[in-house]
């Protein structure tokens, strides 16, 4: 994995902006700590920071290739999982390769297929290709949106980058936020509207989208979208295909020239990955895999059983590690450091985020990076296979709202009267826009039609928030984390799977459980879903509360918008927050942590409110 950026401006000389280009590159150093490069050609500059995973010598970037008298230059961030097959296809067409890096495969796939190249790629990626003859720039983001690609278009120019901080370093992009951005932060955050960069006039290519910039004009196009098809496989065939697709996706993602490990929570999703990897290693005589889990100081002492988190993970992790024969490592996080890391996680995202769910992952990744460069993780199974509680509560299922943020009452409560008057309507419109985009069949039952809508809501909102978290927090530590459940073939198959098969046996992710029954220990295969582990230690709440008390004494853009008395009531009576801010993991401590992140973000990024 890597960090990329670039700048194209008509009638300019990028060589005269070498210091600014260097500053843009330095913002992405943590994404690519191993190597860096800048390509300049007149009015165009391409920037690359590299985290070496495959083919150190022949994968250097920016990478160029000449074909039929034209030079093409690429900067690429990602991993390609059908690289070997594409390389052979291209060789058959007369293309030659100097190494085995997937960057070279992507570049030559573009040379052959042009702007249709994204359709040929199976992987997680964001890249840009400069055509020196056409003086055009092609941008492309992977089908599922695992890797980020932000951009800022202005008269005569385009700036793009893996992270918003690279755009801001140009000094052309200002850290301004208007009413839309404030609605994003206060009424949708930590999620973002697809394609919205929150900062004024900053946008992001959507999953499955590409764009061409030529003659001062950017043209965007969707090259991949989820489509509705009739599911014709029998129950037995569906079980087999689910197992086959997941196994193939996992095995493809075990390829690496550097050390690789897996994250293990003891839940179904991570256990499937660990077991498949263990069997693969055994078959290929690759030795015992390594696994990592995360826990918090004194969490056992303060753990409170709930319908969302009925059991602790420890016993299941131990069981799965033994079954798969892994070398297991537990990372124990200190609660004060967890609060301290809220600031680093904001810098990783360039925005307020998922608070301790982010900061814990960032600390976790720092520890893993000491021994590994690549990890596999089980994100996104819940969104694709119906893993969340709201799928199984019929009343909540048909509520006309985002299921993880059913009410804006808490969000409204912390704001002064008159601030962002249209926040609720803003959220409502985003919800309706998503529903209208979900393709359906005339033959769908009422339940299956709603499940398609729920799939789109989860895919384009909840899942994208988690993928953003995974990318920023891991790459901030120079760690590449792969997510096998995000293979686009799995997404397509899951979208068209009838609910009665997806929830086989009336269980969340029932089809996945059945597919790996007899492969996983029964206790793991049929374990009730448990969310990402969070701290239950009051030390963390107290840390956040003290920091918020200090913030409320300030006079700045944030405190001018906050209802201080309402925030103080949360501190004094955290139990009064019964409706989560976002999902089941953000309650009173996390709302306070979000205010901590907001304050830091406004000050660190010198955010201006654009009226």
């Amino acid at each position: 994995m890597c960090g990329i950026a670039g700048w194209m401006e008509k009638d300019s000389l990028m060589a005269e902006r070498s210091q600014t280009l260097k500053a843009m590159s330095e913002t992405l150093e943590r994404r690519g700590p191993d190597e860096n490069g800048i390509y300049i050609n007149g009015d165009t500059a391409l920037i690359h920071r590299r985290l070496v995973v495959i083919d150190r010598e022949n994968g250097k970037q920016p990478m160029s290739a000449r074909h039929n008298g034209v030079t093409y230059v690429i900067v690429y961030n990602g991993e390609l999982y059908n690289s070997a097959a594409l390389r052979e296809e291209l060789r058959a067409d007369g293309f030659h390769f100097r190494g085995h890096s997937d960057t070279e495969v992507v570049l030559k796939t573009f040379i052959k297929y042009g702007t249709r190249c994204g359709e040929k790629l199976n992987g997680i990626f964001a890249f840009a290709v400069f055509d020196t003859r056409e003086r055009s720039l092609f941008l492309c983001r992977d089908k599922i949106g695992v890797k980020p690609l932000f951009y800022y278009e202005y008269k005569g120019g385009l700036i793009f980058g893996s992270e918003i901080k690279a755009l801001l370093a140009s000094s052309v992009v200002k850290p301004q936020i208007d009413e839309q951005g404030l609605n994003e932060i206060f009424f949708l955050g930590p999620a973002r509207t697809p394609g919205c960069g929150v900062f004024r006039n900053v946008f992001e290519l959507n999953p499955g989208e590409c764009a061409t910039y030529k003659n001062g004009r950017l043209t965007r196009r969707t090259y991949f979208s989820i489509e509705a098809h009739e599911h014709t496989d029998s129950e037995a065939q569906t079980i087999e295909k689910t197992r086959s697709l997941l196994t193939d996706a996992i095995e493809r993602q075990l390829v690496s020239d550097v050390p690789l490990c897996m994250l293990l929570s003891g839940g179904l999703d991570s256990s499937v990955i660990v077991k498949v990897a263990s069997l693969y290693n055994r078959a290929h005589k690759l030795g015992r895999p390594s696994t990592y889990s995360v826990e918090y100081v004194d969490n056992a002492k303060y753990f409170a059983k709930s319908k969302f988190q009925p059991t602790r993970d420890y016993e299941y992790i131990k069981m799965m590690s033994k079954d798969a024969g892994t070398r297991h490592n537990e990372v124990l996080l200190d609660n004060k450091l967890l609060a301290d890391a809220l600031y680093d996680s904001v810098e990783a995202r360039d925005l307020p985020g998922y608070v301790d769910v982010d900061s814990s992952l960032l600390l976790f990744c720092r520890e893993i990076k000491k021994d590994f460069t690549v990890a596999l993780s089980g994100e996104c199974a819940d969104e694709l296979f119906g893993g969340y509680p709201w799928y199984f509560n019929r009343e909540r299922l048909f509520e006309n709202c985002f299921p993880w943020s059913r009410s804006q009452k808490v969000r409204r409560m912390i704001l002064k009267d008159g601030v962002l008057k249209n926040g609720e309507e803003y959220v409502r419109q985003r919800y309706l826009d998503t529903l209208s985009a979900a393709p359906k069949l005339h033959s769908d039952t009422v339940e299956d039609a709603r499940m398609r809508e729920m799939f789109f809501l989860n895919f384009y909102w909840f899942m994208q928030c988690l993928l953003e978290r995974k990318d920023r927090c891991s790459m901030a530590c120079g760690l590449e984390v792969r997510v096998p459940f995000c293979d686009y073939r799995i997404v397509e198959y899951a979208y068209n799977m009838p609910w009665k098969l997806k929830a086989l046996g009336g269980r969340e992710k029932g089809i996945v459980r059945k597919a790996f029954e007899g492969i996983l220990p029964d206790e793991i295969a049929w374990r009730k879903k448990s969310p990402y582990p969070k701290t239950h230690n009051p030390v963390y709440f107290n840390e956040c509360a003290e920091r918020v008390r200090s913030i409320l004494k300030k006079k700045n853009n944030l405190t001018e918008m906050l209802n201080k008395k309402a925030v103080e009531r949360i501190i004094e009576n955290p139990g009064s927050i019964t409706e989560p801010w976002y999902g089941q993991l953000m309650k009173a401590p996390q709302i306070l942590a979000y205010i901590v992140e907001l304050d830091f973000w406004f000050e660190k990024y010198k955010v201006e409110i654009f009226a």
Side-chain angles (χ1 to χ4, degrees), residues 187 408-415 419-421 424:
F187 283 92
Q408 281 77 53
K409 287 181 181 177
V410 177
R411 296 170 183 264
R412 173 59 67 195
M413 180 186 77
I414 69 165
L415 293 172
V419 174
L420 300 176
K421 295 177 182 178
E424 289 83 358

Side-chain angles (χ1 to χ4, degrees), residues 399 509 536 548:
E399 279 184 329
K509 297 176 286 192
H536 299 274
V548 170

Side-chain angles (χ1 to χ4, degrees), residues 159-258:
I159 305 171
F160 69 88
S162 296
E163 295 180 7
I164 295 170
K165 59 175 64 69
L167 277 61
L168 294 171
S170 71
S171 295
V172 172
V173 184
K174 304 300 181 184
Q176 296 175 335
I177 186 168
D178 56 19
E179 184 176 359
Q180 178 185 1
L182 289 170
N183 277 323
E184 290 282 327
I185 284 171
F186 283 103
F187 283 92
L188 289 171
R192 291 187 286 115
T193 298
C196 175
V198 179
F199 287 95
R200 186 168 174 267
N201 294 329
V202 171
F203 300 97
E204 184 177 25
L205 285 187
N206 286 319
E209 199 171 41
C210 60
T212 300
Y213 186 72
K214 185 178 179 181
N215 297 327
R217 182 183 176 191
L218 184 74
T219 305
R220 291 170 60 160
R221 178 177 67 85
T222 298
Y223 72 89
F224 171 83
S225 58
I226 300 170
E227 298 177 351
H229 300 290
E230 185 182 357
H231 185 87
T232 58
D233 289 347
S234 67
E235 180 180 312
Q237 289 171 325
T238 304
I239 293 168
E240 172 57 34
K241 188 162 184 179
T242 299
R243 181 168 54 246
S244 174
L245 283 171
L246 284 170
T247 300
D248 183 63
I250 295 163
E251 289 182 349
R252 284 173 184 254
Q253 298 189 28
L254 293 171
V255 176
S256 174
D257 289 348
V258 294

Side-chain angles (χ1 to χ4, degrees), residues 14-26 169:
M14 286 295 159
E16 296 176 355
R17 299 178 182 172
S18 59
Q19 289 305 309
T20 302
L21 296 173
K22 182 182 177 185
M24 292 171 66
S25 174
E26 287 172 351

Side-chain angles (χ1 to χ4, degrees), residues 75-117:
V75 283
Y76 166 76
N77 163 34
E79 293 295 337
L80 194 61
Y81 302 131
N82 62 337
S83 184
L86 271 176
R87 187 181 290 109
E88 291 310 307
E89 178 184 325
L90 291 163
R91 275 183 174 143
D93 281 342
F95 285 89
H96 299 281
F97 292 84
R98 57 178 177 261
H100 65 277
S101 78
D102 50 354
T103 306
E104 191 174 9
V105 173
V106 173
L107 177 56
K108 289 175 180 176
T109 299
F110 173 82
I111 291 172
K112 179 178 179 182
Y113 293 101
T115 60
R116 315 297 303 187
C117 64

Side-chain angles (χ1 to χ4, degrees), residues 144 181 349 390 409 438 486 605:
I144 310 303
R349 274 203 190 218
W390 48 72
K409 287 181 181 177
C486 283
Y605 285 77

